[in-house]
Amino acid sequence: MPAGLNRALLTVAGVVIAIVLAIAISSVAITAAGASPLDAFAAFFDFGDSERAQSNGIAAFLNRAVPLFIAGLAVSVGFRMNLFNIGVEGQYRLAAIVAAYVGSTFTAPAPIQIAVIIIVAAATGGLYALIPAVMKVTRGVNEVIATIMLNYIALSLTAYLVRGPFAGERAAGQLTTTTPKLPESAMFPNLNFIFDWFGLVAPTRGGGLQGFLLVAIVLGVIVWIVLERTRFGFDVKASGLNGPAALASGVNPKKMIIAAMVMSGGIAGLIGLPEILGDKGAFNSNFTAGLGFLGIAVALLGRNKPVGIAFAALLFAFLDRAQGSLQFAGVPSSVVTIIQAVIVLLVVIANEVTNRLALRIEERRAAQQLGRDNDPVEVTA
């Protein structure tokens, strides 16, 4: 069996075993909480009783997966450079409020309006990620410490901006503050027509199936091409694995650190756009939080590969969507967090075990091949 296929099969087997063990461990936690594991797992597949509720549940599941996928991509770019960009959380929130405000200041045809908002969001996230990158290459500041501190700055800054300079008009009785509403041309068209293809009722909750799903797919393909099929991607990986060796081969690791962090931050800047362009039409004080930290788990689960990250995002979104159903079934919603944490922990362990097994198999094959090459050759007269 080819070495690459053997490693891939071991990886898949490790993930499957990890998920099975996670289900078993989670069942113990559910039982300890005084609930039935069967009721809990049945709730995960409960998308509602009516056709409308089922369509809304499917749309909510896919809409949740999109920002998780983008967050996983942002974190994975840093991981490829051996950088831990914990600042994705602050980068996407700051980018979201700046893009929402800039988009509300003018009106243009839809393609131009949406393109400007996306560019502003990516530029804001990339520039904010540039700060820890410059600190690392010039002063040797650890990116983990720098990005954690910058997260607090970004969160506080967005809280100030949404209540101060970027605040829009508040309706009577409205408890949250928001940026000014985006014009209609800024709203991304939904993909509800896909439900018509399958004979399902179109969803109505949360703006339906958000069209930013297509942007996420294109982004995943671009990231895969850049990291796997270009010189830049090779230089990033080489610099992350061994900086001095990369420098000796003509690659500047410091430039790669800056490039990787800016690229990671630029992708992170797009995380909040599905909610703004597909549903809310503005940034508000209750904007979805925690996506950057979940992106770390998604990237780890997906092994920093766009396809793996897509499956990991779908899994996390599937679990998150079930929180309401779990509460109706009398199961604490915290069970979702337990399952997610256990899956990530076990998958990381499984990845390490399978990597070692694959390495041993390859070493054994290499030794056997070397032994064959060194066998004496009989010479006949």
Side-chain angles (χ1 to χ4, degrees):
M1 185 181 296
L5 179 59
N6 185 64
R7 184 180 288 269
L9 291 176
L10 283 174
T11 300
V12 173
V15 171
V16 171
I17 293 173
I19 292 176
V20 171
L21 289 175
I23 293 173
I25 295 172
S26 301
S27 298
V28 175
I30 294 170
T31 303
S36 168
L38 293 178
D39 292 342
F41 292 119
F44 283 113
F45 297 92
D46 181 13
F47 282 81
D49 297 328
S50 65
E51 291 184 359
R52 181 74 67 185
Q54 291 171 0
S55 296
N56 285 333
I58 295 171
F61 158 55
L62 294 175
N63 290 343
R64 178 64 173 176
V66 169
L68 290 175
F69 174 65
I70 299 174
L73 288 178
V75 175
S76 70
V77 172
F79 280 158
R80 292 294 289 268
M81 183 63 212
N82 203 22
L83 296 172
F84 206 163
N85 183 13
I86 300 182
V88 169
E89 180 72 19
Q91 290 156 15
Y92 92 80
R93 289 175 68 83
L94 185 61
I97 190 171
V98 171
Y101 178 75
V102 171
S104 68
T105 59
F106 71 100
T107 301
I112 298 175
Q113 186 93 23
I114 294 173
V116 169
I117 293 173
I118 291 176
I119 292 171
V120 169
T124 303
L127 288 174
Y128 201 63
L130 179 63
I131 299 174
V134 172
M135 293 171 66
K136 184 176 180 66
V137 300
T138 58
R139 310 304 301 174
V141 178
N142 186 283
E143 75 278 1
V144 174
I145 297 173
T147 51
I148 288 175
M149 296 299 101
L150 286 168
N151 273 342
Y152 286 108
I153 295 173
L155 296 179
S156 299
L157 183 58
T158 54
Y160 162 73
L161 291 174
V162 77
R163 293 175 174 85
F166 289 178
E169 296 183 4
R170 184 187 298 188
Q174 182 179 344
L175 299 179
T176 60
T177 55
T178 70
T179 57
K181 282 288 186 180
L182 291 171
E184 191 63 30
S185 60
M187 300 306 292
F188 215 99
N190 62 48
L191 302 177
N192 287 350
F193 60 86
I194 294 178
F195 287 82
D196 296 334
W197 294 351
F198 295 95
L200 299 175
V201 177
T204 55
R205 190 183 305 164
L209 181 57
Q210 294 168 4
F212 213 83
L213 171 64
L214 298 179
V215 177
I217 294 173
V218 172
L219 181 63
V221 173
I222 292 174
V223 169
W224 178 80
I225 292 173
V226 170
L227 295 182
E228 301 290 345
R229 293 292 183 268
T230 66
R231 171 67 184 271
F232 172 80
F234 176 81
D235 290 346
V236 166
K237 187 175 182 179
S239 300
L241 290 174
N242 194 324
L247 182 61
S249 64
V251 179
N252 190 332
K254 291 185 177 181
K255 288 184 178 180
M256 288 297 103
I257 289 174
I258 293 176
M261 282 295 288
V262 170
M263 182 178 176
S264 176
I267 296 172
L270 306 181
I271 296 172
L273 294 188
E275 182 174 346
I276 293 175
L277 302 183
D279 182 19
K280 306 296 184 184
F283 182 98
N284 60 50
S285 52
N286 283 338
F287 196 75
T288 303
L291 294 174
F293 298 122
L294 283 174
I296 298 173
V298 170
L300 288 172
L301 187 57
R303 301 197 68 179
N304 300 322
K305 304 290 185 180
V307 174
I309 291 171
F311 282 108
L314 289 171
L315 174 61
F316 270 58
F318 177 76
L319 296 174
D320 284 344
R321 185 213 58 82
Q323 291 188 13
S325 300
L326 286 172
Q327 291 178 342
F328 282 116
V331 181
S333 58
S334 57
V335 166
V336 171
T337 306
I338 294 173
I339 294 175
Q340 290 175 338
V342 171
I343 288 176
V344 171
L345 180 61
L346 291 177
V347 166
V348 170
I349 295 173
N351 286 343
E352 184 63 26
V353 172
T354 54
N355 283 338
R356 293 187 180 186
L357 284 175
L359 183 60
R360 287 182 181 179
I361 292 173
E362 291 171 7
E363 289 176 347
R364 190 179 302 126
R365 285 181 175 176
Q368 290 174 352
Q369 184 63 39
L370 182 62
R372 293 193 194 100
D373 294 341
N374 292 333
D375 284 344
V377 179
E378 294 184 3
V379 179
T380 58

